[in-house]
Amino acid sequence: TVIGKNAIFEGNTAGTHGGVIANYDGDVKIGTTATFDSNHADNGYGGAIFNNNYLGTSKLAIDDNVSFVNNTAFQGGAIIKNGEIQIGKNSLFENNTAVNSGAIHSSGKLTIGDASKFTNNKSENYAGAILFQNGDTMTIGNDVEFSGNESGTSGDKHSAGAIAIEDQGDTNANVKAILGNNVKFTANKATNSAGALYMYESAGKAELRPCDRKRTGSGKDVRPGAAPGAAEDQHDLPELQPPHAAHEP
């Protein structure tokens, strides 16, 4: 399925999955400058896009300058997908909300293009912006910004204001996250665990691999297995190091 440039999807609703698109095992390509605004999956997954990869052949490719704004769902306020997701440069995820994972829930390979922004996304559990769970590799491009995202309003102990990474007890999981140059975390907030980035390794293997030491921004909790308690971004990020063995707070 190919969707051309400048498409607008606004105010669409699904009772279960995919407020705009529900795709099973196909490939979906979304053209540049598309807008997904105020779409809802009332009792299901993916306020804008639900993409399931039962056969292992599905891929979601989103071009540059695409916006996901004010979408809502039970899980994955904007997008939920198991399989590969490629998101282009200058993408915007803003004011998306969900019970679990405010903007994106991914359990496959995930790539976020340069200069994309995640702003004011919220969830009750897991992650205000991105939950990367039992996936392969998540790559965050250069100059990506996470600001004002919030999670943990239900008191979930593994919440992260911006990004949560976990293997969910899968002993075969080999979860990696790579952050590009000048990634910025500002004013993200979690009721527990980590204001910016939280890694939880329960059985498999989880790694954080910053590509250099030029990370900027703010946030006080970026270590795996960070101590519980309200956490909000502040001051400069420390240099990110490969994680030690994570533990449950």
Side-chain angles (χ1 to χ4, degrees):
T1 301
V2 178
I3 297 171
K5 63 182 181 180
N6 301 318
I8 297 175
F9 300 91
E10 184 175 0
N12 301 283
T13 301
T16 54
H17 306 325
V20 175
I21 297 170
N23 178 55
Y24 293 82
D25 297 307
D27 286 349
V28 176
K29 179 175 176 57
I30 298 170
T32 186
T33 325
T35 300
F36 295 80
D37 188 351
S38 302
N39 303 290
H40 313 285
D42 288 341
N43 299 301
Y45 300 163
I49 300 173
F50 169 81
N51 209 118
N52 216 325
N53 191 33
Y54 287 118
L55 301 179
T57 58
S58 179
K59 180 178 178 181
L60 173 62
I62 299 172
D63 214 331
D64 299 342
N65 301 300
V66 174
S67 298
F68 293 84
V69 180
N70 299 323
N71 302 287
T72 65
F74 174 77
Q75 191 151 316
I79 298 172
I80 188 166
K81 187 179 190 305
N82 60 341
E84 184 175 356
I85 307 176
Q86 293 182 350
I87 297 173
K89 298 177 182 178
N90 299 302
S91 296
L92 174 66
F93 291 81
E94 185 174 44
N95 293 329
N96 301 288
T97 60
V99 175
N100 301 320
S101 51
I104 298 174
H105 182 177
S106 174
S107 56
K109 185 177 181 181
L110 173 63
T111 302
I112 306 293
D114 295 348
S116 294
K117 293 183 178 181
F118 290 78
T119 306
N120 296 332
N121 301 286
K122 292 181 173 61
S123 70
E124 293 183 19
N125 305 305
Y126 293 110
I130 299 173
L131 172 61
F132 188 63
Q133 193 173 56
N134 286 7
D136 178 2
T137 300
M138 175 177 66
T139 303
I140 306 293
N142 300 327
D143 302 303
V144 175
E145 297 183 10
F146 295 85
S147 61
N149 302 288
E150 184 175 354
S151 185
T153 56
S154 71
D156 180 76
K157 63 183 177 181
H158 299 318
S159 61
I163 302 172
I165 304 165
E166 67 172 16
D167 63 17
Q168 205 180 24
D170 184 352
T171 56
N172 296 314
N174 188 15
V175 183
K176 301 181 183 69
I178 301 172
L179 277 65
N181 299 331
N182 303 314
V183 175
K184 184 180 290 186
F185 296 86
T186 306
N188 302 287
K189 183 177 181 179
T191 302
N192 292 304
S193 297
L197 191 155
Y198 181 81
M199 296 185 66
Y200 180 69
E201 177 188 356
S202 58
K205 181 180 181 182
E207 299 181 45
L208 175 63
R209 295 183 176 181
C211 68
D212 63 22
R213 295 184 179 181
K214 297 180 180 179
R215 207 79 61 252
T216 62
S218 59
K220 71 175 182 180
D221 284 316
V222 294
R223 299 182 305 276
E232 185 167 2
D233 288 357
Q234 58 184 14
H235 311 305
D236 291 336
L237 280 172
E239 293 179 357
L240 301 182
Q241 303 294 332
H244 55 74
H247 60 276
E248 183 175 349

